[in-house]
Amino acid sequence: MKRVLIVDDHAANLYLLRALLQGHGFEVDEALDGGQALERARLNPPDLVISDLLMPVMDGYTLLRHWKADDRLRAIPFVVYTATYTDPGDEALALEMGADTFLVKPTEPQTLMLHIGEVLERAAQGGQVRRTQAGNEQETLKLYNEVLVKKLEKRSEQLEQRVAALTDSEARIQKLNRRYAVLSETNQAIVHIDQRGLLFETVCRIAVARGGFTLAWIGMIDIGSGDVVPVAWSGAGPEWFARTGKFSLRGPKRTPAEIALGEERIYLCNDVQADPALEPIRDSLHQAGLQAAAACPLYMGKHVVGVLTLFAAEKNYFDESLKDLVAEVAADVSFALENYEKEEIRRQTEEELRRLNSDLEDTVHARTAELVAANSELEAFNYSVSHDLRAPLAAINGFSSMVLNKSDGQLDEASRGLLKRVLVNAERMSRLIDDLLSLARASRQPMQTCECDLSELALSVVDSLRQADAGRKIDVSITPGLRVHADPGLMRILLENLIGNAWKFTAHTAQPSIAIGSERHEGETAYFVRDNGAGFDMAHAARLFTPFQRMHRLDEFEGSGIGLSIVQRIVGRHQGRIWAEAKPGEGATLRFTLP
């Protein structure tokens, strides 16, 4: 196994090279500078050395010079791998000093390994790219010094540019820091202070203490008089107000605040002495030492209600960053004003809400009592339907059957036919009562959800249908493992109706088939019952789930028209949905979801 010594003062470079070489079957040794590399190589010479050039203690050029001067190391191939020394002169010097090849970082792994393989192959054949000649030692040192001088000059130039850039940006950075500090502390004040006057005072104080402004003040418009009344300030506020007198919107716009309010815009001036609009107060500005100014309207909703004014003691103070600062602080204060207004409205309506809530509670109690009474009446009605109506129907059915059975030879065929029609309609009425009670239970029965197996329930329903209709031969396929979280009792009723419909509507199909399964539909699982029976026209699908609505004549297929209404209510109680697809004579598919 070939052993490679890699020399680099950056751990990341060492790691990448080590991983690459080890991945290609090399044993790897490492050194952080040229001096350490020489010590390791002299103790245990490698088969190849890969070295950076720019390193502390001993750089790569010096390492290369010592390497080629050492009798034990001279024949070992030396690969230069650098990201700093990349000029043609740098490469020429390295090759002149005896490097076998010169590579620039980063080199693609495949290309790097190709070069390493070529160097090792030449070394194995006893040949090398270059070897330093003793007579050229002085010329080589001259080249080495020239390379170092060029690098130092380049680095010096870069450092000078960097210092100049840092110097130019220092003031901007300070302003940015002030901006962020002002915005941060202003936002914290808005969050924690619930009194408008205290917030205004705090914002002005932050602007002076953290933003470096000489004077900051906030004025609010008096709607009646049109005056702008100072409500908070920090810095030489009283002296400034005394010099300028009353601020008003009903006269000449002579101050930054009046201009900003009158024109509803940010006013910004980096030399207040040069702005003709400020001529009336120029002496006052000079005496106060104010050189630059910015003023921004404060809004409540869409209406201007006040102004924030900031003064600085030096010209050209407001760059784009500080202009944005003025706008952002004003926007924050406007936001706080709206919140205070909303809070006032909230306090004014709180008592009314409490009263309304009390009335609502009384109404809820009354409606709850009415609902309990209505439910009791519904229970009584259900009992009446199941008991009082069933008894007469049972009597009609029983007595008609007795008459029909004992009338042989005593009644003509027409009379016997009428009795049979009575029996058929009594049975139909009994089934209708059962369906109505099922519909009521599906809507009101308390749900007890758990994990249940739709496949097993479907299989049980199909077995019951086969026993009741042993003469039918229907191909039924049920996807196994259809597990849902639902009420098992309601799920059985749902499947009894859906599979029962499929069973019924395939009565006139030559090779009837029914499929129960699931599929993905619009990102969710949809369960389906599909048949190849009579189907129906989708133009009438809107009334499919309406009670007593039928898609076929009664003499074609029996039924009350309530089954799918029951299914829809069960699916709705599970927060799902149900829909159908069908074609006349080609069957129908009922799909439903159970979130």
Side-chain angles (χ1 to χ4, degrees):
M1 179 182 294
K2 296 288 186 180
R3 193 168 65 84
V4 179
L5 173 62
I6 53 179
V7 191
D8 201 304
D9 59 325
H10 289 286
N13 294 339
L14 290 172
Y15 171 79
L16 293 174
L17 267 178
R18 179 174 67 252
L20 177 63
L21 291 166
Q22 289 178 343
H24 283 77
F26 288 92
E27 180 182 348
V28 178
D29 195 5
E30 300 174 3
L32 297 175
D33 58 65
Q36 192 178 96
L38 277 177
E39 292 179 6
R40 292 181 181 276
R42 285 165 177 166
L43 289 174
N44 188 10
D47 296 294
L48 175 74
V49 62
I50 302 175
S51 177
D52 190 16
L53 290 179
L54 182 62
M55 295 180 293
V57 182
M58 180 187 289
D59 67 3
Y61 283 120
T62 305
L63 171 62
L64 177 58
R65 186 161 55 85
H66 285 293
W67 193 275
K68 295 305 177 180
D70 192 306
D71 293 337
R72 292 186 60 199
L73 304 179
R74 181 181 299 124
I76 298 173
F78 195 107
V79 175
V80 172
Y81 192 36
T82 178
T84 305
Y85 290 85
T86 58
D87 295 337
D90 302 334
E91 179 178 2
L93 174 61
L95 296 176
E96 181 67 24
M97 294 179 70
D100 291 82
T101 191
F102 186 95
L103 301 175
V104 176
K105 297 177 184 175
T107 298
E108 289 292 329
Q110 185 176 359
T111 304
L112 178 61
M113 294 309 302
L114 180 64
H115 283 292
I116 290 173
E118 292 175 351
V119 169
L120 287 173
E121 184 177 355
R122 285 195 298 269
Q125 295 174 358
Q128 293 173 289
V129 175
R130 296 179 186 274
R131 288 293 178 266
T132 303
Q133 302 298 322
N136 293 334
E137 181 70 18
Q138 186 174 0
E139 185 64 27
T140 300
L141 289 175
K142 179 181 178 182
L143 287 174
Y144 176 60
N145 288 332
E146 289 178 354
V147 166
L148 290 183
V149 169
K150 288 181 180 178
K151 289 300 173 188
L152 288 174
E153 290 176 347
K154 186 174 182 179
R155 179 57 58 89
S156 177
E157 181 180 352
Q158 291 174 344
L159 288 175
E160 288 177 359
Q161 293 174 352
R162 179 62 176 164
V163 169
L166 289 174
T167 301
D168 292 341
S169 65
E170 184 175 357
R172 184 173 59 86
I173 292 173
Q174 289 178 351
K175 289 184 179 181
L176 285 175
N177 288 337
R178 290 175 183 172
R179 173 187 173 184
Y180 295 140
V182 170
L183 288 177
S184 175
E185 294 188 19
T186 298
N187 287 328
Q188 291 181 34
I190 290 173
V191 170
H192 294 101
I193 298 175
D194 58 3
Q195 298 178 26
R196 191 175 77 167
L198 179 58
L199 174 65
F200 288 169
E201 293 175 2
T202 303
V203 169
C204 292
R205 178 182 54 77
I206 291 171
V208 172
R210 303 291 287 167
F213 297 103
T214 303
L215 170 62
W217 69 278
I218 292 176
M220 301 299 291
I221 299 175
D222 184 317
I223 301 298
S225 65
D227 292 343
V228 181
V229 181
V231 295
W233 58 85
S234 182
E239 295 86 348
W240 167 247
F241 301 141
R243 287 193 181 99
T244 53
K246 185 170 64 174
F247 302 92
S248 177
L249 299 180
R250 296 180 178 176
K253 307 300 183 291
R254 57 196 178 86
T255 66
E258 293 166 335
I259 295 172
L261 288 174
E263 299 179 7
E264 293 190 14
R265 66 175 178 87
I266 295 179
Y267 170 87
L268 189 145
C269 180
N270 272 315
D271 185 0
V272 295
Q273 296 296 319
D275 188 352
L278 303 182
E279 173 65 28
I281 62 167
R282 185 171 294 170
D283 290 341
S284 298
L285 291 168
H286 179 71
Q287 292 173 12
L290 305 179
Q291 299 292 332
C296 188
L298 302 178
Y299 291 84
M300 187 177 294
K302 296 182 179 180
H303 303 289
V304 176
V305 295
V307 63
L308 168 68
T309 305
L310 301 172
F311 286 103
E314 61 183 80
K315 296 179 181 179
N316 301 317
Y317 191 78
F318 292 96
D319 58 10
E320 286 300 318
S321 174
L322 288 182
K323 181 178 179 180
D324 292 341
L325 169 66
V326 177
E328 291 181 49
V329 172
D332 289 343
V333 174
S334 297
F335 172 77
L337 281 171
E338 291 188 28
N339 283 343
Y340 288 135
E341 182 71 12
K342 292 175 183 177
E343 179 64 17
E344 183 64 24
I345 294 173
R346 186 194 67 79
R347 283 196 295 266
Q348 290 175 356
T349 58
E350 193 173 60
E351 186 59 36
E352 179 66 14
L353 286 174
R354 277 198 291 267
R355 185 186 64 78
L356 290 174
N357 285 335
S358 178
D359 293 346
L360 181 60
E361 289 178 4
D362 294 340
T363 303
V364 169
H365 288 315
R367 295 291 184 268
T368 302
E370 292 174 6
L371 182 60
V372 170
N375 284 336
S376 298
E377 292 175 4
L378 185 58
E379 292 289 345
F381 174 75
N382 287 339
Y383 178 79
S384 176
V385 169
S386 62
H387 183 271
D388 297 344
L389 293 184
R390 284 183 186 277
L393 282 174
I396 292 171
N397 191 49
F399 289 137
S400 298
S401 296
M402 290 174 59
V403 171
L404 187 62
N405 292 334
K406 294 181 179 181
S407 66
D408 191 17
Q410 300 179 18
L411 294 176
D412 56 23
E413 284 303 317
S415 299
R416 290 176 62 82
L418 290 174
L419 282 173
K420 289 180 180 178
R421 291 177 66 182
V422 170
L423 287 171
V424 169
N425 282 282
E427 179 62 28
R428 184 176 299 157
M429 180 63 72
S430 179
R431 287 198 301 270
L432 180 58
I433 291 171
D434 289 339
D435 289 342
L436 285 171
L437 290 173
S438 295
L439 181 60
R441 285 195 299 271
S443 301
R444 296 172 49 253
Q445 174 182 323
M447 287 177 51
Q448 296 181 348
T449 59
C450 63
E451 187 175 305
C452 56
D453 193 326
L454 279 186
S455 301
E456 291 184 0
L457 290 173
L459 183 60
S460 175
V461 170
V462 172
D463 287 343
S464 299
L465 289 170
R466 289 193 190 280
Q467 292 174 13
D469 194 3
R472 292 284 307 278
K473 300 296 183 183
I474 301 180
D475 179 22
V476 180
S477 64
I478 302 174
T479 301
L482 300 176
R483 305 193 69 82
V484 298
H485 194 80
D487 184 292
L490 293 178
M491 287 298 101
R492 183 174 183 86
I493 295 173
L494 177 146
L495 291 173
E496 286 175 348
N497 281 281
L498 291 181
I499 299 175
N501 277 353
W503 193 277
K504 176 172 60 177
F505 291 120
T506 55
H508 306 316
T509 304
Q511 294 181 330
S513 65
I514 300 173
I516 298 101
S518 68
E519 58 193 10
R520 296 297 292 176
H521 180 82
E522 296 181 357
E524 59 183 339
T525 300
Y527 304 92
F528 64 82
V529 176
R530 180 181 296 121
D531 66 69
N532 64 343
F536 58 86
D537 189 345
M538 286 295 290
H540 306 299
R543 55 190 180 90
L544 185 64
F545 301 102
T546 304
F548 306 113
Q549 296 293 319
R550 299 172 51 83
M551 296 293 168
H552 305 277
R553 299 194 314 274
L554 190 59
D555 59 351
E556 290 182 311
F557 300 99
E558 63 178 10
S560 62
I562 294 178
L564 288 182
S565 298
I566 294 173
V567 170
Q568 185 187 46
R569 294 195 182 186
I570 291 173
V571 171
R573 293 191 67 189
H574 285 82
Q575 307 302 314
R577 57 192 183 95
I578 183 168
W579 68 98
E581 294 179 5
K583 287 185 179 180
E586 297 184 19
T589 300
L590 275 294
R591 294 183 176 87
F592 61 93
T593 61
L594 297 171

